Amino acid sequence: MTPSELAAETGRRFVAAEAAGLNAVLHWSQELLDRDAATLSGAAPGPLSGTAVAIKDNIVTTDQPTTCASRILEGYVSPFEATAVTRIRAAGGLIAGKTNLDEFAMGSSTEHSAFGRVKHPLRPELVPGGSSGGSAAIVATGAVRAALGSETGGSVRQPAAFCGIVGIKPSYGRVSRFGLVAFGSSLDCISTFGTTVADASALLAAISGHDPRDATTVAAPPMDVPPPRTDLRGLVIGLPVEYFPDDLHPGIRAACDRAIAHLRALGAEVREVSLPHTRYAVPAYYVVNPAEAAANLARYDGVRYGQRRVGPEGDVRALYRATRGQGFGREVQRRILVGTFVLSAGYADQYYRRAQDVRRRIAADFSAVFASGVDLLFTPTTPTPAFRAGEKVEDPVTMYLADVFVCPASLAGIPAMSVPIGRDEGLPLGGQLMAPHLDEATMIAVAAALEGVVDATAEVR
Ligand code: GLN
C-alpha cells in the first residue's frame, strides 16, 4: 500500500469507528493524514513504512492538540514534538491521530476522560481498560496496526489484555519521555500496542534509544526487533505464586494453564517462584504515584498552561481555585489531594518513605528471582476480563485493584508485556511476561513463540 492509500484507508476506518460510537480518537483529520502521507512518499522507506500509528493524547504533537483528555488542556497545541513521534516519522510511520485516555492517564477504564468514555471494541457496555483505552480500542478494530500508549502502572498492558492485542512496556529509560506529559516521572514509560508481537515490537524498536533531551534514557543503542524463537530449550520461566491466588478468575486460570502447557511443549523449563512483597505493590504504587502526580500537575495553574478561569474574588488564589477546581476532573483532584497529603510534613515518613521502601523491596524480589536462574516470569495480566462501564468508577479502591498484576513491574522499572492467550465467554484474556531490566529481546522472542502456538481467539473452557 502506498502512503496515500494508507492515509485514505486509515481515514475510512476512523470514520467507521466513530460511526460505531467507539470514542477512541480525539483528534485526527484527513487533511493531516494526506499531508503526512505526501511527505512519506518522497522519503526513503523505513521499518515502519506501511504502518499507521495512533498516538495517545498525552504525547505532544505540533500539528494537533494535546489535551490529556482534560478540560484544563482543551485546545492546547504544543510548540514542540515528542521524540517518539519524531522517530516514528523518521522510520516511515504515518501519524494517524490522537487517542482518548483517562484524564492525565489516571485510571484503568478510560471512564475518567473529560471527553467521554471509550467503548470496548467487542461489547460497547464494557470498558476497553485504561488509561490508554483509546489506543487499545482503535488497534483492536484494525484501523491502525500499532499505537503509542503510556504506562505509569499498567496502562498499556491492561487495556491490551482487555482488547485482545499486544502491549509492551519497555524498561524504564528505554524510550525517551521527552514530550510525554509528566504524570509519575519515576514510573512513566511510553509504551506500544500492536495487533501482533511483530507490530508492537517494531514500533518499540523505532522509538527506543538514548535521547539527549531525557537524561533518564539509558545509554544503550536503539533496540533491534529480535527474531521469534521456536525452540525454548534452555530457558527458565518462573510462575510467581502470588499471581495465581486460589480465587483467581477461572477463565484466566484456564487460559494461563493452556499457555504454560504451550511454553513447556516448546521446551522451556517452568518452575514456581515467589515474589513475597507483591501484595504491597498496589498500596505503595498508590502513594508514590499521587505524590509525583501532585508535584507534576502543579504547573496547570491557569498562568503557564492551558485554560484559565478567573474566580469571583479576582485574586490569584481565586484564579487557582477556579482553574484547577473546574479544569480537573474528580480522579485528578483525588490524586492531587492524596499526593499532597502523603508528602506533607508529619506524614511523609508514614506514607511516602514507607512506600519508597516497599518499592525497593519489590525491585529486590525481582532481582533475586532473576539472579536465581529464572530468565522470564509468566503471569496473568489482569485479575478479570474487561468489566462493565460504571462498575468500578465510583469506588477508587476497586478500580486501583485492577492493577495488581501490572504495577509491580512499573515500580521495579523492568520490561513487561501482555499477549492474547484466549477468550472466556467471548472476552479476550492476556498473559503477561516480565523480564530483567533491558532484556526486552528475550521477552519479545518468547512472546512471539507463544503467539505462534496459542489460538488466542479460542474459548479457554
Ligand atoms: N491505572 C493506573 C493508575 O491509575 C495506571 C495508570 C497508568 O499506567 N497511566 O494510575
Side-chain angles (χ1 to χ4, degrees), residues 105-108 131 150-155 183 285-286 289 335 403:
M106 298 177 188
S108 309
S131 63
S150 68
E151 278 237 8
T152 303
S155 275
F183 168 14
Y285 172 83
Y286 280 99
N289 167 301
R335 302 265 175 134
D403 303 335

Side-chain angles (χ1 to χ4, degrees), residues 76-89:
Y76 173 76
V77 180
S78 167
F80 61 90
E81 184 172 86
T83 299
V85 175
T86 307
R87 288 186 181 176
I88 291 169
R89 294 186 198 281

Side-chain angles (χ1 to χ4, degrees), residues 277-436:
H277 295 91
T278 301
R279 69 194 183 97
Y280 303 113
V282 167
Y285 172 83
Y286 280 99
V287 171
V288 174
N289 167 301
E292 296 188 11
N296 274 323
L297 271 62
R299 75 193 67 178
Y300 307 102
D301 56 4
V303 178
R304 286 173 289 179
Y305 289 93
Q307 299 281 319
R308 170 182 307 184
R309 292 192 177 79
V310 183
E313 302 89 343
D315 64 356
V316 74
R317 289 172 68 95
L319 167 77
Y320 292 161
R321 201 178 300 122
T323 301
R324 292 165 68 81
Q326 293 165 40
F328 288 140
R330 285 180 61 191
E331 181 62 22
V332 176
Q333 294 193 18
R334 182 181 293 126
R335 302 265 175 134
I336 293 172
L337 292 172
V338 171
T340 305
F341 176 75
V342 300
L343 288 171
S344 59
Y347 291 103
D349 282 336
Q350 206 174 326
Y351 295 106
Y352 184 68
R353 293 207 177 81
R354 276 176 87 183
Q356 294 289 29
D357 180 46
V358 170
R359 184 177 187 177
R360 274 188 292 277
R361 287 168 196 248
I362 285 168
D365 281 355
F366 283 113
S367 302
V369 162
F370 291 131
S372 75
V374 170
D375 298 297
L376 289 178
L377 296 165
F378 178 82
T379 74
T381 307
T382 57
T384 65
F387 48 87
R388 297 181 76 84
E391 192 181 303
K392 299 184 197 285
V393 73
E394 296 305 328
D395 179 0
V397 173
T398 314
M399 185 74 87
Y400 298 168
L401 286 170
D403 303 335
V404 270
F405 299 151
V406 283
C407 68
S410 299
L411 288 167
I414 59 171
M417 67 187 288
S418 182
V419 270
I421 54 168
R423 290 194 178 192
D424 189 45
E425 297 176 345
L427 290 180
L429 307 172
Q432 175 173 237
L433 288 164
M434 295 185 272

Side-chain angles (χ1 to χ4, degrees), residues 3 12 19 34 40 43 46 56 101-102 106 136 149 162 165 171 189 194 205 237 281-282 300 312-314 342 387 457:
R12 272 195 293 276
D34 293 340
L40 291 174
K56 187 178 183 180
L101 64 151
D102 285 294
M106 298 177 188
F162 281 7
I165 59 170
S171 309
C189 295
I237 298 180
V282 167
Y300 307 102
E313 302 89 343
V342 300
F387 48 87
T457 54

